[in-house]
Amino acid sequence: MSRLSIAPALAALFLLCACGSRNGYWDYPVANATSYGLKNGVALVDDADHRVMMVTALDDQQVQTRTFAIGHNAASTTTSPDGTHLFVLSTGDWPRRTSKDEFPSLTVIDASTFDFHPARYEMTEPLANLAVDPLGRWAVAYAGAAATTSFVQNANEIVVFDLSTPGATPVSRTIRSYGGTPQELIFTPKLQLPTGQRRLLIIETNIDITFVDLDDMSQPEVTIPLTSGTSAQQVTPAGVVVDGFDPTNPLDARIALRANDNTNVFTWLLGPSSDPSQEYTPVLNVIPVGGVPSDIAFVRTGGGASPLLRVAALVPTKSNAVLADPDTAITTPVALPAPYSNLSLVTTMVAGDMNMAPSAAATDVAMLWNGGPSSATGVAFWVLTVDQPYRSIQSVPVQQPIETVHDVGGSLYQDLKVLEMQNGSGFFVLDLKSRTASPLETMSRASILIAPDGNRLWAFAHGGVDLAKVDFSNLNPVPVRTEPPIESVYDVARPTAGRSLIAIHKLGTLGATIFDALNPDTATSRRVTALLLEGP
Amino acid sequence: VKHLSILLGALSFMMAAPYARAEEFSLVETPAPAAQTNRLQSMWRFELGYRGTFVKEAAFDPFSTQDYFGQVSVGFSRTVYAKGRFSFAPGFAWDFGRSGATARGDGASLDVHRLVVPLEGRMHFGKWGYTFVRAAPGIAFEAAEVDDAASPTLTSGGTAPLTKSRWLFATDLSAGYAYPLWPRENPTEFMPRVWIQADGGYSWIAPLGLNLAPDLPSSDPRMANGVDLGALTMRGAFFRVSAAVSF
């Protein structure tokens, strides 16, 4: 063999064999990976690799991981309020250039058990936002305020997914518009309409409001412009509340809306329609409340033989609240000790408290606080009596302005609220029954996680290494530490009973520190590294 | 480039050294070469070369951006049997290679040492050299390492690398050709001879489970888990080009 012939032959062999390269997965960064807490684990959304890794806690602070494919290019990820489902809305490979490119899709992972069942729903057009029914039956994709995802996009198109039929083809619908585009979507509970019980999807656009019958998508939607034809002033919805369900009253369904630039509260009674093609006709009532309301709620007020339905509106610019009759538009102002801007009903949580119980058992009790930038401090309880509104306010002094109010779930401590302070100096555990607020101070700004079982809270410094458990039974802080900085923490169930705390560290390819949530101890914690490095 | 530099350096050393080494090797307790011994056939050989293996294993991906693993190859052999145009020469060889890449942003590296006993059967063509087949059973030491920032920190600084290493069974099977460059005349004369050779074949190392764990001191009380990258089997077609010196 010629010596000159060997070298070219070897070179050709090398080039032929060395042209292979590795899976592109290994070149994808994990910097944009995000974590979501679920009832039975933590979901790590690894969009670069089109997958979700479910991290399940086991005994002895061990973990188990499983991965599930998701659609390409995740645009929106959220969880169901009860933490049993993960929703990943993907825009797919858009525009599609080859038949292998993916369509837009919604991936739903059922995490109600430790088996984690995924389901995929394909769409024909990419949409960037997703609203999830708190009752778990529906999910709706819409364009919203996100950037346009295709050359021509119908901003008023919604795509409705029926989650009770995994993989079912979603229903696409274009809502009638007077120039607005969907901004917020609200799912109502079952409402008693003249033709029967229905669930509605309420769509707030930037200038109008639309009602869609979720139980019968063939029914035409109802769109109501909020801007008067005689005025150029734009009315932009800022919040919608829905009255409950009374199966004995076919005229029970009511909707109220406040706007962020209008001093009126808009209410609709969904009454009978003279048009046989429509199930109902919304009857509008515009109720002036004297200022721009910051929060509204349907409430039951006492003072008579039976509770009366009213719309309670907080008007912080007037330091008062207004109780409005949705039928007659008659209003009753109630002076407040501070310009409270937020309201939430705590009626069931204070039930049995003799100090709070008014004359009528069905009378609502509201908790008021100020979650805005105002310097107003404290919280107040408002017993919603009409006959003695001025004597119905009881305030609880809290020394700092409140940033957020956290509800406590579970069954044991529902009468507690956790008040997060604006200045980050700590938080208060508010007992609704005794109307006491127990302060808990922190050395630095703390983030709060309420355990889903409602038995404890976790306070941690985002980006720090300090973490503390506070049991609601005794409010005794148990401090622990992690070595790397904490990105987020999740209190999750274990398959064999017990609970674990998973602290996520956004370092490297993501790591975590696992604690026994019921008996946390740094010495028994376990570090898990390189969570997203496992092969494709 | 690093491997090539090593190869060229060692080759120049070997080419300069044969006369100095001749006396040394005469002390080896082997039968004194007969006056008519064909030293293109019965010889000591020292080889230094470059070896490339094409590894198509998915578990190799974290450690290389290509499906290719390069090694430096060093070895020697001694003809122990010769009859007619055929001979047999066992030997000993060491291959070493390292591959590194970033795996999702983490630094990852793999070291492989291969210690084998080449068993080589040769068919000679006089001054045109010989063709050979080679079976090379032996052992290999594989050490994998990944540096992840979420790993526990060390008191000495930095974070503990995620590591796994193990001795494994290994073997090669190849065929090739050796060509005497200089001198090609006077085959019975005892003098150093320079060869080039090439062979190709298939190599295999038993699987290594890549369940990497933080490399913490045994006295460290912290509990830490690593990552499981699957099982790596370093197998695939390979080629080797070498320079050799024989006596």
Side-chain angles (χ1 to χ4, degrees):
Chain A
M1 182 181 290
S2 162
R3 83 176 65 173
L4 293 177
S5 65
I6 295 174
L10 289 174
L13 179 67
F14 177 84
L15 291 174
L16 181 68
C17 298
C19 58
S21 61
R22 65 178 179 177
N23 190 316
Y25 160 85
W26 298 104
D27 299 318
Y28 300 150
V30 297
N32 295 326
T34 49
S35 60
Y36 298 86
L38 293 165
K39 177 184 171 190
N40 294 323
V42 175
L44 303 177
V45 179
D46 187 2
D47 185 36
D49 192 35
H50 318 306
R51 66 174 181 165
V52 165
M53 173 175 282
M54 302 297 303
V55 182
T56 307
L58 306 176
D59 292 341
D60 194 29
Q61 283 69 262
Q62 295 282 4
V63 296
Q64 183 180 48
T65 60
R66 289 179 63 188
T67 59
F68 300 91
I70 59 174
H72 292 187
N73 299 312
S76 176
T77 304
T78 188
T79 61
S80 59
D82 60 359
T84 59
H85 290 77
L86 178 77
F87 302 87
V88 183
L89 184 67
S90 306
T91 58
D93 299 315
W94 201 263
R96 297 179 74 239
R97 294 183 173 85
T98 71
S99 59
K100 290 183 179 177
D101 286 345
E102 279 197 359
F103 280 100
S105 63
L106 172 68
T107 304
V108 182
I109 298 177
D110 181 353
S112 58
T113 66
F114 289 94
D115 293 334
F116 301 120
H117 299 291
R120 179 79 69 92
Y121 303 79
E122 277 200 351
M123 303 155 60
T124 56
E125 185 185 352
L127 295 171
N129 289 291
L130 185 72
V132 175
D133 176 11
L135 300 182
R137 171 74 191 278
W138 309 98
V140 178
Y142 63 104
T148 303
T149 52
S150 59
F151 178 61
V152 177
Q153 181 167 295
N154 179 359
N156 287 299
E157 181 182 26
I158 60 171
V159 177
V160 181
F161 302 89
D162 184 352
L163 303 177
S164 64
T165 311
T169 303
V171 177
S172 181
R173 180 90 169 257
T174 296
I175 62 168
R176 190 168 25 169
S177 169
Y178 292 95
T181 56
Q183 304 295 311
E184 291 286 335
L185 278 62
I186 301 103
F187 298 84
T188 73
K190 278 192 173 176
L191 300 177
Q192 184 65 44
L193 298 182
T195 54
Q197 298 175 14
R198 291 281 190 275
R199 293 196 64 198
L200 300 182
L201 174 67
I202 301 175
I203 302 172
E204 291 180 21
T205 76
N206 32 14
I207 58 170
D208 47 33
I209 187 169
T210 297
F211 306 143
V212 177
D213 187 345
L214 286 169
D215 292 313
D216 185 359
M217 292 294 291
S218 65
Q219 287 289 328
E221 76 277 6
V222 175
T223 299
I224 305 167
L226 296 175
T227 302
S228 167
T230 60
S231 169
Q233 186 189 7
Q234 182 169 301
V235 178
T236 304
V240 166
V241 292
V242 180
D243 185 32
F245 164 68
D246 180 357
T248 65
N249 185 357
L251 293 179
D252 176 62
R254 284 187 171 86
I255 293 167
L257 176 145
R258 67 182 175 90
N260 59 17
D261 47 9
N262 196 283
T263 58
N264 296 314
V265 170
F266 302 80
T267 67
W268 290 272
L269 173 65
L270 306 186
S273 173
S274 56
D275 182 352
S277 67
Q278 287 198 321
E279 292 182 306
Y280 57 89
T281 295
V283 179
L284 173 66
N285 213 348
V286 180
I287 306 171
V289 294
V292 176
S294 60
D295 204 354
I296 58 174
F298 277 106
V299 298
R300 260 74 179 176
T301 63
S306 60
L308 305 172
L309 180 67
R310 295 288 182 269
V311 176
L314 294 181
V315 186
T317 54
K318 302 282 186 181
S319 282
N320 71 2
V322 173
L323 288 173
D325 185 333
D327 294 325
T328 64
I330 295 173
T331 58
T332 303
V334 179
L336 301 176
Y340 297 111
S341 60
N342 296 81
L343 173 156
S344 61
L345 296 181
V346 295
T347 311
T348 58
M349 302 165 194
V350 298
D353 175 15
M354 298 307 292
N355 293 324
M356 300 295 291
S359 55
T363 297
D364 277 328
V365 179
M367 190 181 85
L368 312 177
W369 79 96
N370 198 328
S374 164
S375 60
T377 62
V379 296
F381 295 96
W382 179 16
V383 183
L384 286 150
T385 54
V386 173
D387 51 349
Q388 294 180 315
Y390 297 94
R391 294 172 55 188
S392 63
I393 309 295
Q394 298 177 2
S395 61
V396 177
V398 174
Q399 284 73 26
Q400 298 292 335
I402 298 166
E403 173 85 25
T404 312
V405 174
H406 299 272
D407 295 332
V408 176
S411 57
L412 293 177
Y413 302 104
Q414 283 186 328
D415 53 343
L416 299 182
K417 298 274 185 185
V418 178
L419 314 179
E420 202 170 337
M421 301 294 102
Q422 279 184 14
N423 64 2
S425 63
F427 50 94
F428 288 81
V429 178
L430 176 67
D431 189 325
L432 298 176
K433 285 186 175 174
S434 65
R435 295 181 304 288
T436 57
S438 304
L440 292 164
E441 297 178 351
T442 57
M443 293 173 60
S444 59
R445 177 172 283 278
S447 299
I448 302 293
L449 170 77
I450 309 295
D453 65 358
N455 292 340
R456 75 201 74 81
L457 71 79
W458 294 90
F460 68 99
H462 184 266
V465 297
D466 291 306
L467 177 67
K469 181 193 80 162
V470 179
D471 262 323
F472 289 130
S473 60
N474 54 18
L475 299 185
N476 176 37
V478 179
V480 289
R481 300 197 85 182
T482 66
E483 204 171 78
I486 300 170
E487 174 73 13
S488 49
V489 301
Y490 304 100
D491 188 314
V492 301
R494 294 200 293 253
T496 55
R499 300 189 66 84
S500 294
L501 183 89
I502 299 179
I504 299 292
H505 312 301
K506 204 163 188 178
L507 290 174
T509 49
L510 288 195
T513 302
I514 318 298
F515 295 90
D516 182 341
L518 306 182
N519 187 24
D521 185 349
T522 304
T524 59
S525 67
R526 182 181 294 276
R527 180 85 65 81
V528 182
T529 60
L531 279 166
L532 292 181
L533 191 61
E534 292 193 357
Chain B
V1 173
K2 183 180 177 183
H3 293 165
L4 187 59
S5 302
I6 295 171
L7 172 66
L8 293 175
L11 182 61
S12 61
F13 169 77
M14 292 179 66
M15 293 180 70
Y19 289 103
R21 291 184 175 182
E23 185 178 352
E24 177 186 347
F25 290 119
S26 67
L27 299 177
V28 177
E29 289 185 355
T30 56
Q36 299 303 314
T37 300
N38 182 348
R39 296 196 174 275
L40 287 174
Q41 187 167 348
S42 295
M43 56 193 156
W44 281 92
R45 282 172 55 86
F46 295 87
E47 302 171 10
L48 178 64
Y50 176 81
R51 167 191 172 123
T53 307
F54 304 101
V55 183
K56 297 285 187 183
E57 293 287 306
F60 183 58
D61 287 348
F63 308 102
S64 175
T65 57
Q66 293 186 320
D67 298 334
Y68 179 76
F69 186 66
Q71 289 177 286
V72 172
S73 182
V74 180
F76 72 87
S77 64
R78 168 73 167 113
T79 306
V80 297
Y81 174 80
K83 185 173 184 180
R85 297 177 65 179
F86 298 95
S87 67
F88 173 71
F92 182 80
W94 170 61
D95 301 332
F96 168 71
R98 166 176 288 178
S99 183
T102 56
R104 308 209 71 183
D106 282 357
S109 65
L110 175 71
D111 288 0
V112 178
H113 297 262
R114 182 194 302 261
L115 301 172
V116 294
V117 178
L119 305 172
E120 197 169 289
R122 300 168 178 164
M123 185 168 75
H124 296 268
F125 304 101
K127 67 177 183 179
W128 298 105
Y130 63 87
T131 184
F132 61 88
V133 293
R134 174 189 285 181
I139 55 174
F141 179 77
E142 291 183 358
E145 179 175 319
V146 170
D147 296 312
D148 189 87
S151 189
T153 55
L154 297 170
T155 53
S156 57
T159 58
L162 307 176
T163 61
K164 175 73 178 287
S165 59
R166 183 152 293 179
W167 285 98
L168 302 159
F169 177 73
T171 189
D172 292 348
L173 190 64
S174 64
Y177 194 88
Y179 181 79
L181 278 182
W182 178 87
R184 301 170 63 195
E185 309 301 333
N186 303 321
T188 59
E189 188 175 346
F190 183 79
M191 60 185 301
R193 287 179 167 79
V194 179
W195 301 68
I196 59 167
Q197 68 182 55
D199 63 326
Y202 193 84
S203 72
W204 178 85
I205 301 177
L208 171 68
L210 290 174
N211 48 339
L212 310 181
D215 187 13
L216 294 169
S218 57
S219 59
D220 196 313
R222 290 174 293 180
M223 295 190 292
N225 289 10
V227 62
D228 189 350
L229 298 177
L232 171 62
T233 305
M234 292 292 286
R235 62 183 171 188
F238 76 94
F239 71 91
R240 174 169 38 212
V241 289
S242 306
V245 175
S246 72
F247 300 95

